[in-house]
Structure formats: structure tokens, C-alpha cells
Amino acid sequence: MDCLDDYPFNILDIANILRLTVRRAVADSVYVDCPFCQKKKGKLNLNLTRNVWRCNRCGKSGYMFELYAELRGVTVSEAKLELAAILCGGEDLLGTTPTIPAVEAKKSSHVVELSTRASPEEIDHTMGEMMNLLSLTAAHREHLNKVRGLSDDEIRILGLKSTPSYKLRHALPSKLLAMGCTVAGVPGFYMDKYGKWTANFTSWTAGILIPVHSVDGLFCGAQIRLDNPIRDNPDDLEDEGTKYIWFSTSGKYLGASSGSPVNLVGDSRAHTVYVTEGALKAGITHCLTNRTVLSIQGANNLGGLKYAFQ
């Protein structure tokens, strides 16, 4: 058995990834809705000291990795690999018991030190060079061609790329630094527990990378259209789940938040501008109509529109 207390995360972190609803908390545990018996009154106990779980209604129980493995339909070894990619930037959790050096100690206090946000010009330079280093897989190109109706030339104009393998999480920022780019304070980059700059690409967040540009024409961030949406209940086929996430590191050591910037596709001097929700939708609308389109990311994120219109 692993010494679970020595891992740089706990069962509550895993519960957050699984999007389990917390109903109440006590001294050393929390109660969440049980995803196995579907009891909505917080019958599943998560012991934060021992990193174990048990439902007081259906009796299912196990260690923290088994919770993830059961709900995702993978082996415990596969669960460790996926959790490593999500929570630790891909560090190997198999066969070894990680220690928690100084960087992780900062995380364990739940107060994560972020980088000072880089300047708009620095973010534009780094994100642009990063996208130049990436490519588009055949599967993603086929989806954009056949499902979204985009030509190869339109895909190129919109700058759509595929997220890289998480195995390149260290190589990518190293190459960008060698090119004279800034990664500190750029959304999507953070420093891992070994002191290495890391790009926040994981196997769990694989998908199509969608550039987001400000009204000033600067590359200010990116969204990811996930290949596999994050569902509240993986067994509920009617649950479409979360399809889009930001390339961001707001919860990572020396990371940076993407915020929720307004995206502009088209001519910033246009007298008539259309507003929609979603960066990919804005790009497709522009290609089909040749109109200038502003997009917000989430129907309630209206704060940036006033500045954009000005």
C-alpha cells in the first residue's frame, strides 16, 4: 500500500476534479453526494486525514486513488498517471512515494504564490511563438473541416492548433525561454515542485487550442475545446459536461490567471460589431460572414464589453 499522506495532494483535491458536491464539513472530513448510489444528501464521507472514502448508504469504500479509478473506469495505476498529469504536472507517481519540497509546501497551505502578470506585449509574444511551435492533428483538422465547415485556409487564419502531449510540458517553456520569450506571468505556465517551468498541458485537457485576441490585436490568452468534456456524472450520456476551459494556471505555483478577456475577430475599426459567446464560435462566424465579432467567454462575463466598445 502507498503511503498516501506523502502525496502532494489529498482526497479533497481528487473530489474537486471529479466535481463531487460537498454538503458539509467536520473537523477531519467532508461529506459529498455519493456518485455510486446517487444519494444527493451527502452520504459519502471523505476522510482528509487518512485519504479514504466510504458511503454510509451503499457501503462502497476505498483509498483516494480507487475513488478516481472507480468513477473514471480505469485501473489504479492509470488513475495515478492521470492524477499526476492533472495535479502535479505529470510527475511519476508510480512505484515511488513523492516528497513535498518547498514549492509543494506552499501549495499545501492553500495559499498559492502567483507570478506578477506579464505585460500584454510579453504575453502576446510568448503565446504567438508557442502557437507557432504547435501543429494540428489530422483528427482535429477533420473535425474543423467536416463538422465546423472551416477550410484549411480559414483554420490557418484563425490559428487553431492541437494541444501538445503533456510529455512536452517542460520542453516547450524551455524552448520559449531560449527564444527570448517570457513565461513567468503568462497564463498557462507555472513552476513545478522541482523548480522547472511547466506548460499546463495534460492528457486530461487534450483538445483544440483556440487563440483569444484583445481589441488591441494582441494575443491575450487561449481556450481549449476538450476532446473529452468533463462531466458531473460520466455515466449520464445526456450530460454534455464542460467542453471549454482556459489555458490558465491560476491555482499553480508562480502561475497566472487567464482572466476572462473579450475576444475580437475581424476589423477593430468596424462600425458594426456582432457579439456572441465563445471564441471558436466567433471565429467561425467571422469566416462565414466576414463580419467583425466580439466574443465573451461565458454568458455572464459582460464586464469587458464596455471597454471593448469604447
Side-chain angles (χ1 to χ4, degrees):
M1 183 188 305
D2 293 314
C3 183
L4 298 177
D5 291 338
D6 289 335
Y7 282 100
F9 52 82
N10 64 14
I11 195 170
L12 187 57
D13 296 316
I14 296 174
N16 288 333
I17 292 172
L18 296 171
R19 300 176 73 183
L20 301 181
T21 301
V22 177
R23 295 297 180 183
R24 62 188 185 279
V26 294
D28 60 354
S29 65
V30 298
Y31 287 85
V32 302
D33 291 342
C34 180
F36 302 103
C37 64
Q38 302 297 313
K39 194 65 176 177
K40 300 298 184 183
K41 294 185 178 180
K43 295 297 184 180
L44 185 69
N45 176 268
L46 306 179
N47 187 302
L48 305 182
T49 302
R50 298 170 55 208
N51 283 320
V52 296
W53 53 276
R54 184 183 186 280
C55 177
N56 295 328
R57 183 173 184 269
C58 67
K60 287 191 71 70
S61 63
Y63 292 98
M64 63 179 186
F65 294 123
E66 293 169 329
L67 177 63
Y68 185 96
E70 286 261 3
L71 292 178
R72 294 304 188 206
V74 298
T75 66
V76 171
S77 294
E78 290 170 332
K80 289 183 179 182
L81 286 175
E82 291 189 8
L83 289 168
I86 298 168
L87 293 169
C88 305
E91 286 90 337
D92 186 9
L93 300 186
L94 294 175
T96 61
T97 302
T99 56
I100 307 180
V103 171
E104 275 312 317
K106 293 178 181 289
K107 291 176 62 178
S108 65
S109 67
H110 301 289
V111 179
V112 180
E113 180 183 348
L114 300 179
S115 292
T116 301
R117 188 176 177 85
S119 70
E121 292 75 18
E122 289 172 325
I123 293 173
D124 172 73
H125 182 221
T126 298
M127 296 295 288
E129 293 294 349
M130 181 189 77
M131 296 297 277
N132 289 337
L133 295 174
L134 304 181
S135 59
L136 189 67
T137 66
H140 285 157
R141 185 175 298 279
E142 182 179 15
H143 171 82
L144 293 169
N145 287 155
K146 296 184 177 181
V147 178
R148 302 291 179 162
L150 294 173
S151 68
D152 287 344
D153 192 46
E154 289 168 336
I155 292 171
R156 179 186 58 78
I157 291 172
L158 295 179
L160 303 174
K161 298 294 180 71
S162 297
T163 57
S165 167
Y166 80 89
K167 296 178 181 179
L168 298 177
R169 65 193 182 280
H170 294 135
L172 193 59
S174 292
K175 191 161 189 176
L176 290 170
L177 287 168
M179 295 166 64
C181 297
T182 299
V183 296
V186 176
F189 296 91
Y190 69 100
M191 185 172 287
D192 71 8
K193 65 180 184 178
Y194 300 111
K196 294 182 178 180
W197 281 109
T198 308
N200 196 23
F201 292 117
T202 72
S203 58
W204 192 250
T205 58
I208 298 173
L209 203 58
I210 308 160
V212 172
H213 292 88
S214 69
V215 292
D216 301 316
L218 298 177
F219 200 145
C220 59
Q223 282 192 308
I224 302 173
R225 182 191 181 276
L226 297 172
D227 291 338
N228 298 301
I230 302 172
R231 293 183 171 88
D232 291 329
N233 179 4
D235 297 324
D236 183 1
L237 299 181
E238 295 183 357
D239 179 11
E240 294 184 352
T242 300
K243 295 181 180 179
Y244 293 87
I245 62 172
W246 284 100
F247 178 55
S248 179
T249 42
S250 58
K252 302 284 191 179
Y253 178 63
L254 294 186
S257 171
S258 64
S260 188
V262 172
N263 176 48
L264 175 75
V265 187
D267 183 2
S268 62
R269 299 167 296 176
H271 292 288
T272 302
V273 179
Y274 294 79
V275 179
T276 188
E277 192 280 325
L280 182 57
K281 187 184 298 180
I284 294 171
T285 301
H286 171 72
C287 290
L288 293 177
T289 66
N290 200 32
R291 303 287 189 177
T292 294
V293 184
L294 284 171
S295 71
I296 57 175
Q297 324 309 323
N300 296 321
N301 291 323
L302 303 176
L305 284 179
K306 182 178 180 180
Y307 170 76
F309 285 138
Q310 290 174 342

